Amino acid sequence: MSQQAGYSPSFKRPAEIMRMRRKRARSDAGVFSSPSAQGSTGSPGQSESSPACVRPFSPGPLFNTQNRSGGGTKRRNPFANLENTYSPKKKLLIYNDDGNAEAADSHKINKWTEKEGDEDMSTKTECQGVLRLSARLTEVENQERQDISSKKCLTFSEDDSLFEEEEEDVKSPLLKSPQAIAPASIAPPVCTEYPADWSLKTRLLFTSSLSLLWAEHPKAQEEALGLNQHCRAHFGTLPHSLQDPKSCSELRSAFQQSLVYWQHPSLPWISLFPRINAERNFTGKSTPWAQDAALQQNLMSEWSVSLSSLYSLLKAKLCPYFYLCSYQFTVLFRAAGLGGSNSISALISPSTRGLREAMKAEGIEFSLPLVEERRKSREPQNLTVHQGEEEEEEERKEKAQAQECSELKEGENCRAGDEGENNGFNDDEDGSFSWLKEMGVQDKIKKPDSISIQLRKEGHAVALDHKPESVVCVEGLHTFTLINFLINCKSLVAAAGSQAGLPPTLLAPVAFRGAAVHTLKARSVNVKSQVGSTYQNFSSLEITGPILPSSLHTITTLLRPAQKGNFSANLYTHTPTAVMNTHTTKEQGAGGSVDLSGCGLHPASIQQLQQPSSLGKTALTYINMNNYSYTWKN
């Protein structure tokens, strides 16, 4: 059997080992039977120094027989593998008699023992070689342990004779691999803010494992202090974490301050928000202005003064934004610097073709952001790359048009162009169909009249009515023209129905002329919710009313320290205002340079509302804060 590197130099076949065992058993029986042999320490097959190389678990540390209490001795395991016993460094490092270190290979190990000769001599040589090797390896081990005791730690396996060496981290953390440092040193990102949401909310439902009862039943002094702070635009500071929110008067006053909003007109017996599809709220209520023209005129006069006051505050940057809620649409006016725009902007949603035509007639320039965004997304698909491909495309369209027109029955209108943006007809004002004559089918096709052509051209515009894509954006000086247009617009007020004669509702976060102060309604309840197979106690806080974007942000900012950074909220959006988060057509990002410190909002709320919203035509529906980090859904 060829000798392999790393094995014992006296490795023998299993058959030879069994034969040696039988021979030693017979020798031991003869030795222990004679009195002269009782004083010997080993069998004839072993040398006198063989007990010194005894190991309890071969290969294991050497024990001296003088320290053993007695009993039979266990010989060394001949199947032991030096590679499994010691590390490669220790296996290859052996000291000579001169004290010099050299590499131990299979040839030098063979010099210490002889395979040929008598079996007893072989066993004796084996023990001597193992004793010499083990002694030197033990010396090397002790020296290495002293040198690397501060750099290494030993991890023992289930077998006490086997161990692994692990170097401790003595290098710089920068030298670690990314896989090694990722779980330990890279913390998950912490999001301290959620996107700005310009939609109006009708209801908020907060839930937390901590009690929310501190938010209701304020004391008279706390309610008065909150209203006073709101009117003076004074905002206090709260600690990062509160041990007992119910006993913190500053927190309860700040919460009452966040619930305040201003509204015109104010009718205590009628809820004036929402106004779209809200006929049920007005049914059965007293409406003395419905049949009184003089009363309607007085209401509209006061409403016009309030609207003019709001726009003046907006232009002076003393009011950040306000909403105009009519029975058909909602208008959001924002001051310069909010929403990423550097000028005053207004968003109208939803709009109709009649409203847009009336605005054009008044000289108001506006844009349809969602329509233009969709048109821009289609432009790369309509680009032509080669002139030859353009000719092929035109030829293919002519053939398709000829085939389509030839299949039409008599009396039906032929579509003269692509059914995309021009709705099936060319934009020629004279309605020319000369291409039919060129194809030779002018007698077979009945040309549509001018009225049909005009209706088909307007079909695409009418199809946008009352949809989110119909949102209209007005910017700059044209917002002033829009204010005059709204004041003089006859269709702004319903002429019939339960809302007949009632001016639109104006909502703002700050006071304005003719406005009445209102507060949102808050109610807290402790509930039990099933979590898995058990029930867990939760506290809920419900807030109802026209919830403005700044009110939502201020409330969540107060809940952060009060609930120790752990709460969730379900948000219920007034559907027509969800598209208020869409981008305007002008360049974004210039709003941060406008000073809005005097607009009456908390600095943190101003900072959030200055950023362009990333929600598009959607609104937030869920907010969750876990360990002071936000996540949300829209």
Side-chain angles (χ1 to χ4, degrees):
M1 179 177 180
S2 60
Q3 184 174 358
Q4 300 179 2
Y7 280 83
S8 174
S10 60
F11 180 83
K12 294 179 178 56
R13 296 175 181 272
E16 297 177 359
I17 298 300
M18 298 303 297
R19 181 164 43 90
M20 290 174 58
R21 285 188 176 183
R22 289 193 295 269
K23 183 177 179 181
R24 288 172 183 171
R26 291 193 298 269
S27 300
D28 292 342
V31 170
F32 286 108
S33 62
S34 59
S36 60
Q38 293 180 0
S40 64
T41 59
S43 62
Q46 294 176 331
S47 64
E48 296 178 357
S49 61
S50 62
C53 63
V54 171
R55 300 172 186 264
F57 297 99
S58 298
L62 295 174
F63 283 159
N64 194 346
T65 54
Q66 296 178 358
N67 298 332
R68 294 174 63 87
S69 59
T73 60
K74 183 177 181 180
R75 68 178 181 83
R76 177 183 175 276
N77 183 8
F79 297 98
N81 190 334
L82 292 177
E83 184 176 358
N84 294 335
T85 307
Y86 297 98
S87 64
K89 294 181 180 179
K90 297 178 181 178
K91 178 184 70 174
L92 297 177
L93 188 62
I94 298 178
Y95 286 84
N96 292 332
D97 296 337
D98 299 335
N100 299 325
E102 65 178 11
D105 54 16
S106 60
H107 299 287
K108 292 188 178 182
I109 295 177
N110 288 338
K111 292 181 181 180
W112 297 338
T113 180
E114 298 291 341
K115 286 185 66 176
E116 299 178 357
D118 186 66
E119 295 290 339
D120 296 339
M121 294 300 297
S122 176
T123 305
K124 179 178 179 180
T125 305
E126 177 187 352
C127 291
Q128 291 177 351
V130 172
L131 174 62
R132 188 176 180 181
L133 177 62
S134 301
R136 289 172 183 174
L137 289 177
T138 304
E139 182 181 355
V140 173
E141 180 182 353
N142 294 334
Q143 184 175 356
E144 289 184 357
R145 284 182 178 178
Q146 294 176 0
D147 295 339
I148 64 176
S149 59
S150 61
K151 297 183 180 181
K152 295 185 179 181
C153 59
L154 301 180
T155 305
F156 287 86
S157 60
E158 293 181 358
D159 185 359
D160 295 338
S161 64
L162 302 178
F163 62 91
E164 300 173 354
E165 295 179 353
E166 299 177 354
E167 291 191 5
E168 292 181 355
D169 185 14
V170 295
K171 299 181 180 181
S172 172
L174 297 177
L175 301 180
K176 287 185 176 182
S177 63
Q179 293 83 359
I181 66 176
S185 60
I186 298 180
V190 177
C191 185
T192 59
E193 198 60 85
Y194 55 88
D197 189 352
W198 288 100
S199 63
L200 286 170
K201 307 297 180 183
T202 59
R203 180 169 172 258
L204 302 179
L205 183 61
F206 293 94
T207 56
S208 176
S209 57
L210 301 178
S211 177
L212 287 165
L213 294 176
W214 58 268
E216 62 177 1
H217 303 306
K219 298 179 181 179
Q221 183 179 0
E222 295 170 346
E223 187 174 3
L225 181 60
L227 181 60
N228 180 65
Q229 290 177 346
H230 173 84
C231 295
R232 297 174 181 269
H234 175 72
F235 304 95
T237 57
L238 297 175
H240 181 72
S241 180
L242 299 174
Q243 298 298 330
D244 188 9
K246 195 170 184 177
S247 61
C248 182
S249 179
E250 294 82 1
L251 173 66
R252 292 162 62 87
S253 298
F255 182 73
Q256 294 300 314
Q257 179 182 356
S258 66
L259 300 180
V260 178
Y261 67 96
W262 299 81
Q263 174 182 318
H264 178 86
S266 178
L267 304 175
W269 67 95
I270 296 179
S271 176
L272 297 179
F273 177 82
R275 297 291 298 270
I276 300 178
N277 298 328
E279 285 74 14
R280 183 177 55 183
N281 297 338
F282 296 87
T283 303
K285 303 296 177 64
S286 176
T287 56
W289 57 84
Q291 305 299 329
D292 192 340
L295 182 55
Q296 292 181 10
Q297 186 176 359
N298 290 334
L299 289 176
M300 284 302 301
S301 177
E302 290 295 325
W303 181 86
S304 300
V305 171
S306 297
L307 181 59
S308 300
S309 172
L310 270 175
Y311 186 80
S312 299
L313 293 171
L314 192 77
K315 190 175 180 179
K317 300 181 182 62
L318 299 177
C319 175
Y321 61 88
F322 67 90
Y323 290 85
L324 184 152
C325 304
S326 73
Y327 77 104
Q328 283 186 325
F329 55 84
T330 303
V331 187
L332 166 63
F333 285 88
R334 294 185 296 197
L338 294 184
S341 178
N342 57 357
S343 61
I344 299 177
S345 61
L347 292 171
I348 306 174
S349 175
S351 66
T352 60
R353 176 180 170 272
L355 177 63
R356 294 190 294 269
E357 291 295 333
M359 292 172 61
K360 286 182 182 179
E362 292 293 329
I364 302 174
E365 295 183 5
F366 61 88
S367 61
L368 301 173
L370 296 181
V371 175
E372 293 183 3
E373 182 180 352
R374 183 176 59 181
R375 185 178 303 167
K376 289 180 180 179
S377 63
R378 290 179 178 179
E379 283 181 359
Q381 302 176 4
N382 298 330
L383 292 178
T384 56
V385 292
H386 299 291
Q387 185 176 1
E389 294 181 1
E390 292 179 358
E391 295 176 355
E392 293 178 1
E393 184 69 17
E394 291 177 0
E395 198 174 321
R396 186 187 62 81
K397 286 184 178 180
E398 289 179 0
K399 292 181 180 180
Q401 290 170 354
Q403 182 180 1
E404 182 180 0
C405 293
S406 62
E407 294 176 355
L408 292 176
K409 296 181 180 179
E410 184 177 357
E412 293 183 351
N413 295 330
C414 176
R415 298 183 179 181
D418 196 6
E419 290 187 359
E421 298 171 358
N422 53 12
N423 296 283
F425 290 93
N426 294 329
D427 294 332
D428 299 337
E429 295 180 358
D430 56 352
S432 176
F433 287 88
S434 59
W435 58 275
L436 292 175
K437 185 181 297 184
E438 295 176 0
M439 297 176 62
V441 295
Q442 70 278 8
D443 297 333
K444 298 180 180 180
I445 302 300
K446 181 180 179 180
K447 293 190 298 182
D449 54 10
S450 59
I451 298 178
S452 301
I453 295 176
Q454 186 67 22
L455 290 176
R456 286 188 176 274
K457 284 184 178 181
E458 297 173 355
H460 182 67
V462 176
L464 292 176
D465 293 354
H466 305 290
K467 292 184 179 180
E469 289 75 12
S470 66
V471 60
V472 172
C473 178
V474 181
E475 295 183 286
L477 296 177
H478 294 280
T479 56
F480 178 74
T481 311
L482 178 62
I483 290 291
N484 293 331
F485 169 77
L486 293 174
I487 292 176
N488 300 315
C489 183
K490 300 298 182 181
S491 61
L492 191 66
V493 180
S498 58
Q499 301 188 46
L502 187 62
T505 304
L506 300 176
L507 299 172
V510 297
F512 60 95
R513 185 172 176 179
V517 62
H518 289 260
T519 57
L520 302 172
K521 295 180 175 61
R523 185 173 66 95
S524 180
V525 178
N526 289 329
V527 296
K528 285 188 177 181
S529 178
Q530 186 174 3
V531 179
S533 59
T534 61
Y535 285 88
Q536 187 175 355
N537 291 326
F538 283 95
S539 184
S540 66
L541 175 63
E542 182 185 30
I543 300 176
T544 56
I547 302 166
L548 305 178
S550 55
S551 299
L552 173 63
H553 184 266
T554 307
I555 293 172
T556 54
T557 303
L558 294 176
L559 290 177
R560 177 188 177 100
Q563 305 308 119
K564 296 179 172 56
N566 293 278
F567 67 87
S568 61
N570 291 294
L571 315 178
Y572 299 86
T573 306
H574 183 42
T575 305
T577 63
V579 294
M580 299 297 184
N581 294 311
T582 187
H583 292 286
T584 58
T585 56
K586 291 188 178 181
E587 184 179 357
Q588 303 292 324
S593 60
V594 181
D595 184 18
L596 294 172
S597 57
C599 68
L601 296 185
H602 193 280
S605 300
I606 297 175
Q607 185 177 2
Q608 185 208 35
L609 297 178
Q610 282 180 334
Q611 305 300 324
S613 179
S614 60
L615 299 175
K617 61 179 182 180
T618 60
L620 293 175
T621 59
Y622 179 77
I623 296 176
N624 180 59
M625 171 170 274
N626 185 15
N627 196 19
Y628 298 96
S629 180
Y630 276 114
T631 57
W632 59 85
K633 295 179 182 179
N634 56 338

